[in-house]
Every structure is written in C-alpha cells, then in structure tokens.
Amino acid sequence: MESFQYTPLPAEGDFIRILTLLPGGDADEIQCKLSKKRLEAISDNKTYEALSYCWGKQDAEMKIFIQKKRCPRNSTFALGPDLYAALRAFRHNEVARELWIDAICINQKSEKEKSAQLPLMRRIYEGCSGVLI
C-alpha cells in the first residue's frame, strides 16, 4: 500500500484541509478522507471540530488509512501513538466526524505550507464548533 502524498493547497484564498474521520468500531482500522476547504466558507457554519493534543512521542509507529479521490486504493499515513489513540477515542461508531488536526491537515514536511497555514491558526480555532482535548 502506498504512503499518502499531499496535494498542495491552492495559493489563492485561505484554504485548509479537513479530515473526515469515518465511523468504525473498536477493532476496525482507522479510515479517513482529507479534503480542501475554503476557511471562510466552513468557519461561518461551524462544520468541524479542532483537535488539540500533546504531541508527546512523535515517532510514527501507527498507521491510518486515507481514501483518495479518483483512486480505488487507500493510502497509509503514519502518525504517533498519542494521535492514533486520540483518533480512536473520538471516532464515532455510526457517524463521520469532521476534524482539523494540525499534524495531519498541514503538510508537516513543507516549510512553505506550514508558513502559510500558521497565520490562519487563530481563525481555524475560532471557526470550529468545538475543541477536543
């Protein structure tokens, strides 16, 4: 299975990524979708929650699966055990959950993207329906 590759966010407009945490049971793999959204369009509607957590040990030991548009196979995304545990804890059994999580929604390997997203952080947290801790 291939590792997840980010598609760059549009240069014009304040775009962010939102993670859709798909429903599942305790024993199910974590399945997600990642989509680009214009911040002003979603923050007015409070359509997502933000996850704030302590990064802790950052070694990417765990894997989640991200569904890609136009691709029948999922890609794997490696993350640390603390974030993996948070996703398991906050996942619903029957309903998808829209989340903004900096470690996933911002390409952490791109200094250009991190620099562009940092000024949006206040608006991201102000625009969410709630913050999960």
Side-chain angles (χ1 to χ4, degrees), residues 3 13-14 16-17 19 21 25-26 38-39 58 67 75 82 89-90 98 110 113 118 125-126 129:
S3 293
D14 293 337
I16 64 171
R17 291 185 189 90
L19 182 81
L21 180 58
D26 291 340
R38 187 178 293 274
L39 181 55
Q58 295 186 38
Q67 298 176 3
S75 297
D82 290 346
F90 290 122
E98 301 279 308
S110 170
E113 183 169 309
L118 186 62
Y125 279 99
E126 287 175 344
S129 63

Side-chain angles (χ1 to χ4, degrees), residues 67-78:
Q67 298 176 3
K68 296 178 94 174
K69 290 182 182 178
R70 303 180 200 99
C71 183
R73 293 178 306 216
N74 292 344
S75 297
T76 60
F77 187 94

Side-chain angles (χ1 to χ4, degrees), residues 49-86:
E49 298 167 286
L51 176 61
S52 178
Y53 69 100
C54 179
W55 282 57
K57 184 179 174 185
Q58 295 186 38
D59 294 338
E61 300 171 350
M62 312 302 284
K63 291 195 182 336
I64 62 172
F65 298 92
I66 298 181
Q67 298 176 3
K68 296 178 94 174
K69 290 182 182 178
R70 303 180 200 99
C71 183
R73 293 178 306 216
N74 292 344
S75 297
T76 60
F77 187 94
L79 44 77
D82 290 346
L83 180 50
Y84 185 83

Side-chain angles (χ1 to χ4, degrees), residues 103-122:
I104 299 174
C105 296
I106 298 174
N107 182 353
Q108 298 297 320
K109 294 179 182 174
S110 170
E111 293 301 322
K112 181 179 177 182
E113 183 169 309
K114 288 194 293 187
S115 296
Q117 293 284 293
L118 186 62
L120 303 177
M121 297 281 272
R122 179 178 176 170

